[in-house]
Every structure is written in structure tokens, then in C-alpha cells.
Amino acid sequence: MQRNRNKLLNTVKREVLQLRSQSLHNAVIINLVRQQPPQQLKRSWDLEVKVGKRPIFQIPPKVNIMQVFDRMKGKLLLLGNPGGGKTTTLLELARRLVIRTEKDTNTPIPVLLDLSKWKNHNQEISDWLVEQLKFKYNIPKKVTREWLENQQLLPLIDGLDRVSPELSEHYLESINKFSIDFQPKHLVVCSSFTTYKNCHNKLRVNAAVLLQPLTNSQIKDYLFVARSRELWNYIEEEPELLNLAKTPLMLSMMTLAYEEILIAAWRRITSKEGREKYLLNAYIRYQLGGETNYKWYSRNQEPLPEQTRRWLAWLAKQMAAENIQEFRIEKLQSSWLDANGEVQTYQLIINLISVLFWGFTFGFIFTLVWKLKAGLISGAIGGLIGGRFGLPGVKNLVLRIVLFSNGHIPWNYRRFLNYASSRLLLQRIGDRYQFIHHLLYKHFTEM
């Protein structure tokens, strides 16, 4: 049992470190403020806490999320706007919890869970959690069930705002039932303000932590520390741009992509959605044009920016169609093929290879054992069998050949996905990939 505990804790630790190192806030720090490690920086946004029917009170800047967690006995709801720092705050809490758990073997193990990955809605949340620990961390299901029953897991749940309103209600009800049935010592759930406010069901937790939009002075301080005084001078008198900068995600993108932004053109955009889209495009241009410490391609062999955009847009659309947030190369689906010819080409190649392989194999064996005539007959029979049952292991290869030949993916797909991760367009967690933020994921689906 201790071996599995250490295995899970080490894997969660790596996951948290990977996600934090691939965040936009961390990119700002590395690129612009190299002398100050990111973990020593204070959070940019204010935290407010709501406990029951008592008045909301603000948390002083020196108080971190771990202290709030302890004060509220480890049962929290994190609420904020999209791009408002919820996941960043959750990862900071996870980092501190991992450190504590390494020192105290009696402390529940924190595990990161995403509700948008819960596909079987008739399933109990405890069963889904068991499956997730098997899938993500390769922990035996029996072990996870024992941990649940003994209150040795600390679920950190994100993704409530990435499911439909009907499912949000169902998931909140399921989490409450889980709390009653298993009585976990600690539980943290993340959601957007709007999603949670519109739900009839409410979580049974000790407090809600509200992540507030950045104030003008916080924006100014952030940009000055990040050596972006000129950007502040441009936006301080522009209410619409300043309002956009109140979202931490957008502020980080502004700071990174400033060289790609034409302020005069940006000012003329009248809608909030248009300004966000302009900024996201500027961020993509910046990330594809700058230097990177990771050399996944030889000099002058990197994909062209247009190719990268096209390949990522295709991936985002397929993921959206399948309603998935993470992607693994091994999980490429034939359903991702275009019905206009690609499916037929794929099936034809599969059948041809199978017929040739099984026909040759049967024919060769029977020719050696009996005679040529028997071999030819057996070869024909083998070909028919191959056409009917196919050839194990060849389908994924053929699928990738068809997708490559139609321009949907590059030949070395894993290298490209790692390259896109180094460009902070994707995040890589082990052998899984996801877009660095849901807003960027949605933007690519609309390209």
C-alpha cells in the first residue's frame, strides 16, 4: 500500500510541476523577470471568502490559498471568471498539499480531477474517480477504493464550467452525495461564477473563495514588474482594453504578445469578443515567432506558422466533436476522417494490406506443407479471411498515413505536439496533451 501511495504522490507532483511550468504566468516570469522565481511572487488578484450567510471578507495579500484551506478545514469552492486564475490557484494549492503530504504519511493524497472527462453520467462519481486514478496514475482500482473508504484521498476537482448546465446540476448533486457516502476529510471544487450561480444545487463545503478581477493598480504593478511600462501607458486611458486586462489570463497574454499588438487597430474593435480574438491571434503569432529553449526540430525545419495553426485548429475541432479535453496519439479515431473520400481510402488500404498479408501467409505455409495448388487455394482463403477480420496493429498506422496525406497532421505527430507544447499553445502531461487554456482551445475550434 505504501508503494502505491508513493507512486501516486510522485506522479501527482510531476503533473503539478508540469502544469505550473507550462502556464502563461510562469512564461511571463521566465521571459521577463528571470531573477525572481515564480513561486516567490504573490498572487496578482484579490481573494474574498464567503462562509455561510456571513458577510464576505477579503483575504490580505500575504495570506496564501493554503492558509485559507486550513482555516476553512479543507473544504472549499473556488469561484472566478474564465481566465481569472482559478486553475492557477488550484495548482498552487496542489503544490503546497503535495509538499505537506510528503512530510506526513497520515495526510490525504491530493489528486487532480477534471469533471469534463466524466462521460458516463449514470456512473457514481466514486466509480469515475476510481477509473480516473487507474487511467491517469495507473493505480489499481482495489487500492483506490480502499483509500476512498479510509479517507486517504483529497479530490481537487476542476472543469465544472466546461460541461452543460444540466450536467452541472447533476455533478453538484453527485459530489454532495459523494461527501455524504465517503466523508472525505478535504474537498476542493473549481467553477466559474456564472456556472455555479445558475445552478440550483449548491455544494456542501465550508466556504467559497471568490477570485476577484484585477484592479487598475494591480494591472499597473504587474506590468511594471514585468517591464511592460509602455503597455501600461497605452492602455491606462483605454477603458475597454483596461477592462480586458482585468482578467489575469488576458493580462499575461498582453504582456507576452505586446510586440504583436497594433494598439491603434485594437482600439477600433468595438466588441469584447473581437478584442479577445485579436489578443489571442497576437499571442499565437508571438509564440510561433519567438525563440524557444526546446529544439524539437532542426534549424529552419520548424513547421511554418500557417501549418501549425491549421494542424492545431484541426485537432481542436476533432476534440470538440468528441467532447474531450485531453488527447493521446494512441487514441486517434477513424471517426476523425472526413466522410468525403478519406474513410473510403482508409478502409480500402486496410482491406488491401490485410488481404495481401493473410493471403501470402496462408499460401506460403500451405505450399511448404503440401503443394503449390493447395498453397494457392489456401492463399485465396487467407485473403478472404484477411478482408473480413483485418490485421491487428495496422489500423493506427494507416489512419495516420491517411491523415498525413490529407494535410491534417504532420508525419511525426508526437514531435509536433511537443513542439506546440514548447510554444505554450498546448500543455503536455505525460503522454497526454491539452490546450493551454479553454479559451485558446475554443479559439482554435473557430478558426
Side-chain angles (χ1 to χ4, degrees), residues 332-351:
L332 271 172
Q333 302 292 323
S334 59
S335 60
W336 289 19
L337 293 168
D338 192 311
N340 297 324
E342 292 179 5
V343 173
Q344 293 87 336
T345 301
Y346 166 76
Q347 201 59 55
L348 178 63
I349 296 174
I350 289 289
N351 290 339

Side-chain angles (χ1 to χ4, degrees), residues 181-443:
D181 293 344
F182 291 91
Q183 297 184 349
K185 294 178 181 178
H186 311 300
L187 176 70
V188 181
V189 178
C190 264
S191 176
S192 70
F193 283 123
T194 305
T195 298
Y196 188 73
K197 182 180 178 182
N198 292 336
C199 287
H200 174 74
N201 287 312
K202 300 301 176 186
L203 280 176
R204 296 175 180 175
V205 289
N206 296 333
V209 177
L210 316 174
L211 280 64
Q212 296 301 313
L214 299 174
T215 64
N216 290 359
S217 62
Q218 288 170 333
I219 295 170
K220 180 181 178 181
D221 291 344
Y222 183 91
L223 292 176
F224 274 40
V225 169
R227 300 176 187 170
S228 296
R229 184 187 297 263
E230 188 178 1
L231 177 57
W232 169 253
N233 292 336
Y234 274 119
I235 70 172
E236 66 173 324
E237 302 299 331
E238 296 290 334
E240 299 300 336
L241 299 184
L242 204 54
N243 189 53
L244 189 63
K246 290 181 178 180
T247 302
L249 175 75
M250 295 299 172
L251 181 59
S252 294
M253 285 188 173
M254 284 184 191
T255 307
L256 288 168
Y258 173 60
E259 294 176 2
E260 295 291 334
I261 296 173
L262 297 175
I263 297 293
W266 206 14
R267 285 170 175 164
R268 290 195 293 269
I269 301 173
T270 56
S271 69
K272 181 176 182 291
E273 292 74 17
R275 286 186 290 272
E276 283 187 2
K277 185 173 288 189
Y278 182 94
L279 178 57
L280 288 165
N281 283 326
Y283 171 76
I284 293 168
R285 285 196 305 274
Y286 171 80
Q287 290 302 128
L288 293 179
E291 292 292 326
T292 176
N293 294 328
Y294 300 94
K295 301 299 180 184
W296 293 105
Y297 290 90
S298 302
R299 187 176 179 83
N300 299 323
Q301 296 300 311
E302 290 185 348
L304 296 173
E306 314 84 81
Q307 291 177 312
T308 300
R309 289 191 193 94
R310 184 174 72 248
W311 290 334
L312 289 178
W314 179 85
L315 175 62
K317 288 171 185 175
Q318 305 311 315
M319 290 173 64
E322 296 284 334
N323 192 26
I324 57 176
Q325 302 294 322
E326 284 186 345
F327 169 70
R328 299 171 76 178
I329 293 177
E330 294 74 16
K331 297 297 182 181
L332 271 172
Q333 302 292 323
S334 59
S335 60
W336 289 19
L337 293 168
D338 192 311
N340 297 324
E342 292 179 5
V343 173
Q344 293 87 336
T345 301
Y346 166 76
Q347 201 59 55
L348 178 63
I349 296 174
I350 289 289
N351 290 339
L352 181 61
I353 292 175
S354 300
V355 166
L356 291 173
F357 177 82
W358 288 115
F360 176 80
T361 302
F362 273 63
F364 181 74
I365 292 172
F366 277 83
T367 298
L368 290 177
V369 176
W370 286 292
K371 296 181 180 179
L372 178 61
K373 183 177 179 180
L376 292 173
I377 295 172
S378 302
I381 296 172
L384 292 174
I385 293 174
R388 178 72 178 84
F389 294 102
L391 184 64
V394 79
K395 290 186 176 181
N396 187 270
L397 175 61
V398 173
L399 175 59
R400 289 173 67 176
I401 291 172
V402 174
L403 291 174
F404 166 72
S405 62
N406 284 280
H408 299 313
I409 65 173
W411 178 248
N412 191 333
Y413 203 21
R414 189 176 303 279
R415 180 171 65 172
F416 168 73
L417 295 175
N418 289 334
Y419 165 76
S421 300
S422 72
R423 292 292 182 178
L424 289 184
L425 299 173
L426 299 178
Q427 285 178 324
R428 175 187 173 190
I429 312 101
D431 63 346
R432 312 189 309 274
Y433 299 87
Q434 63 185 25
F435 282 85
I436 196 164
H437 194 275
H438 189 68
L439 289 176
L440 192 66
Y441 172 34
K442 184 180 177 184
H443 181 68

